PDB file of all heavy atoms in Angstrom:
ATOM      1  N   THR A 141       9.540  -4.782  18.917  1.00 82.00           N
ATOM      2  CA  THR A 141      10.345  -3.872  19.721  1.00 82.00           C
ATOM      3  C   THR A 141      11.222  -3.034  18.810  1.00 82.00           C
ATOM      4  O   THR A 141      11.746  -3.536  17.819  1.00 82.00           O
ATOM      5  CB  THR A 141      11.241  -4.636  20.719  1.00 82.00           C
ATOM      6  OG1 THR A 141      12.063  -5.549  20.001  1.00 82.00           O
ATOM      7  CG2 THR A 141      10.401  -5.384  21.740  1.00 82.00           C
ATOM      8  N   GLN A 142      11.369  -1.760  19.157  1.00 84.00           N
ATOM      9  CA  GLN A 142      12.207  -0.880  18.349  1.00 84.00           C
ATOM     10  C   GLN A 142      13.659  -1.291  18.506  1.00 84.00           C
ATOM     11  O   GLN A 142      14.096  -1.683  19.573  1.00 84.00           O
ATOM     12  CB  GLN A 142      12.025   0.574  18.769  1.00 84.00           C
ATOM     13  CG  GLN A 142      12.738   1.527  17.846  1.00 84.00           C
ATOM     14  CD  GLN A 142      11.896   2.721  17.478  1.00 84.00           C
ATOM     15  OE1 GLN A 142      11.091   3.169  18.260  1.00 84.00           O
ATOM     16  NE2 GLN A 142      12.078   3.225  16.280  1.00 84.00           N
ATOM     17  N   CYS A 143      14.401  -1.226  17.412  1.00 81.00           N
ATOM     18  CA  CYS A 143      15.823  -1.572  17.438  1.00 81.00           C
ATOM     19  C   CYS A 143      16.584  -0.467  18.148  1.00 81.00           C
ATOM     20  O   CYS A 143      16.417   0.702  17.839  1.00 81.00           O
ATOM     21  CB  CYS A 143      16.369  -1.710  16.018  1.00 81.00           C
ATOM     22  SG  CYS A 143      15.709  -3.120  15.161  1.00 81.00           S
ATOM     23  N   ASP A 144      17.415  -0.864  19.098  1.00 71.00           N
ATOM     24  CA  ASP A 144      18.251   0.127  19.756  1.00 71.00           C
ATOM     25  C   ASP A 144      19.728  -0.197  19.587  1.00 71.00           C
ATOM     26  O   ASP A 144      20.579   0.600  19.924  1.00 71.00           O
ATOM     27  CB  ASP A 144      17.888   0.251  21.238  1.00 71.00           C
ATOM     28  CG  ASP A 144      17.907  -1.089  21.948  1.00 71.00           C
ATOM     29  OD1 ASP A 144      18.210  -2.104  21.301  1.00 71.00           O
ATOM     30  OD2 ASP A 144      17.620  -1.120  23.158  1.00 71.00           O
ATOM     31  N   ASP A 145      20.033  -1.379  19.042  1.00 66.00           N
ATOM     32  CA  ASP A 145      21.425  -1.765  18.836  1.00 66.00           C
ATOM     33  C   ASP A 145      21.569  -2.367  17.441  1.00 66.00           C
ATOM     34  O   ASP A 145      21.293  -3.548  17.235  1.00 66.00           O
ATOM     35  CB  ASP A 145      21.855  -2.758  19.910  1.00 66.00           C
ATOM     36  CG  ASP A 145      23.315  -3.169  19.780  1.00 66.00           C
ATOM     37  OD1 ASP A 145      24.035  -2.589  18.929  1.00 66.00           O
ATOM     38  OD2 ASP A 145      23.736  -4.063  20.525  1.00 66.00           O
ATOM     39  N   LEU A 146      21.972  -1.547  16.481  1.00 60.00           N
ATOM     40  CA  LEU A 146      22.106  -2.026  15.100  1.00 60.00           C
ATOM     41  C   LEU A 146      23.227  -3.042  14.935  1.00 60.00           C
ATOM     42  O   LEU A 146      23.276  -3.753  13.937  1.00 60.00           O
ATOM     43  CB  LEU A 146      22.338  -0.848  14.152  1.00 60.00           C
ATOM     44  CG  LEU A 146      21.166   0.098  13.998  1.00 60.00           C
ATOM     45  CD1 LEU A 146      21.541   1.266  13.101  1.00 60.00           C
ATOM     46  CD2 LEU A 146      19.966  -0.632  13.426  1.00 60.00           C
ATOM     47  N   SER A 147      24.123  -3.147  15.922  1.00 62.00           N
ATOM     48  CA  SER A 147      25.215  -4.113  15.800  1.00 62.00           C
ATOM     49  C   SER A 147      24.820  -5.487  16.329  1.00 62.00           C
ATOM     50  O   SER A 147      25.588  -6.435  16.215  1.00 62.00           O
ATOM     51  CB  SER A 147      26.454  -3.608  16.545  1.00 62.00           C
ATOM     52  OG  SER A 147      26.186  -3.534  17.938  1.00 62.00           O
ATOM     53  N   ALA A 148      23.633  -5.608  16.929  1.00 59.00           N
ATOM     54  CA  ALA A 148      23.203  -6.905  17.457  1.00 59.00           C
ATOM     55  C   ALA A 148      23.077  -7.905  16.322  1.00 59.00           C
ATOM     56  O   ALA A 148      22.693  -7.559  15.209  1.00 59.00           O
ATOM     57  CB  ALA A 148      21.860  -6.747  18.173  1.00 59.00           C
ATOM     58  N   ARG A 165      16.210  -8.992  12.463  1.00 61.00           N
ATOM     59  CA  ARG A 165      16.188  -7.829  13.344  1.00 61.00           C
ATOM     60  C   ARG A 165      16.239  -6.544  12.520  1.00 61.00           C
ATOM     61  O   ARG A 165      16.727  -6.532  11.412  1.00 61.00           O
ATOM     62  CB  ARG A 165      17.401  -7.840  14.250  1.00 61.00           C
ATOM     63  CG  ARG A 165      17.381  -8.901  15.278  1.00 61.00           C
ATOM     64  CD  ARG A 165      18.654  -8.771  16.117  1.00 61.00           C
ATOM     65  NE  ARG A 165      18.583  -9.668  17.234  1.00 61.00           N
ATOM     66  CZ  ARG A 165      18.282  -9.280  18.459  1.00 61.00           C
ATOM     67  NH1 ARG A 165      18.021  -8.036  18.718  1.00 61.00           N
ATOM     68  NH2 ARG A 165      18.237 -10.156  19.425  1.00 61.00           N
ATOM     69  N   CYS A 166      15.788  -5.516  13.124  1.00 72.00           N
ATOM     70  CA  CYS A 166      15.958  -4.158  12.606  1.00 72.00           C
ATOM     71  C   CYS A 166      15.498  -3.982  11.169  1.00 72.00           C
ATOM     72  O   CYS A 166      16.264  -3.562  10.302  1.00 72.00           O
ATOM     73  CB  CYS A 166      17.412  -3.710  12.774  1.00 72.00           C
ATOM     74  SG  CYS A 166      17.879  -3.549  14.506  1.00 72.00           S
ATOM     75  N   LEU A 193      13.392   1.267  12.577  1.00 84.00           N
ATOM     76  CA  LEU A 193      13.627  -0.167  12.415  1.00 84.00           C
ATOM     77  C   LEU A 193      13.098  -0.928  13.628  1.00 84.00           C
ATOM     78  O   LEU A 193      13.197  -0.449  14.760  1.00 84.00           O
ATOM     79  CB  LEU A 193      15.124  -0.428  12.236  1.00 84.00           C
ATOM     80  CG  LEU A 193      15.782   0.312  11.076  1.00 84.00           C
ATOM     81  CD1 LEU A 193      17.280   0.068  11.068  1.00 84.00           C
ATOM     82  CD2 LEU A 193      15.167  -0.100   9.752  1.00 84.00           C
ATOM     83  N   TRP A 194      12.573  -2.151  13.360  1.00 84.00           N
ATOM     84  CA  TRP A 194      11.900  -2.916  14.404  1.00 84.00           C
ATOM     85  C   TRP A 194      12.303  -4.379  14.366  1.00 84.00           C
ATOM     86  O   TRP A 194      12.435  -4.980  13.309  1.00 84.00           O
ATOM     87  CB  TRP A 194      10.382  -2.816  14.213  1.00 84.00           C
ATOM     88  CG  TRP A 194       9.888  -1.422  14.388  1.00 84.00           C
ATOM     89  CD1 TRP A 194       9.887  -0.422  13.451  1.00 84.00           C
ATOM     90  CD2 TRP A 194       9.380  -0.849  15.577  1.00 84.00           C
ATOM     91  NE1 TRP A 194       9.397   0.732  13.984  1.00 84.00           N
ATOM     92  CE2 TRP A 194       9.072   0.500  15.302  1.00 84.00           C
ATOM     93  CE3 TRP A 194       9.135  -1.336  16.846  1.00 84.00           C
ATOM     94  CZ2 TRP A 194       8.532   1.352  16.239  1.00 84.00           C
ATOM     95  CZ3 TRP A 194       8.602  -0.488  17.787  1.00 84.00           C
ATOM     96  CH2 TRP A 194       8.300   0.842  17.485  1.00 84.00           C
ATOM     97  N   ASN A 195      12.465  -4.959  15.557  1.00 81.00           N
ATOM     98  CA  ASN A 195      12.548  -6.413  15.695  1.00 81.00           C
ATOM     99  C   ASN A 195      11.101  -6.882  15.738  1.00 81.00           C
ATOM    100  O   ASN A 195      10.256  -6.233  16.359  1.00 81.00           O
ATOM    101  CB  ASN A 195      13.231  -6.808  17.005  1.00 81.00           C
ATOM    102  CG  ASN A 195      14.675  -6.377  17.053  1.00 81.00           C
ATOM    103  OD1 ASN A 195      15.405  -6.551  16.084  1.00 81.00           O
ATOM    104  ND2 ASN A 195      15.090  -5.796  18.160  1.00 81.00           N
TER     105      ASN A 195
END
Side-chain angles (χ1 to χ4, degrees):
T141 57
Q142 187 136 32
C143 292
D144 53 1
D145 182 7
L146 293 177
S147 65
R165 290 181 172 258
C166 294
L193 303 175
W194 296 83
N195 295 315

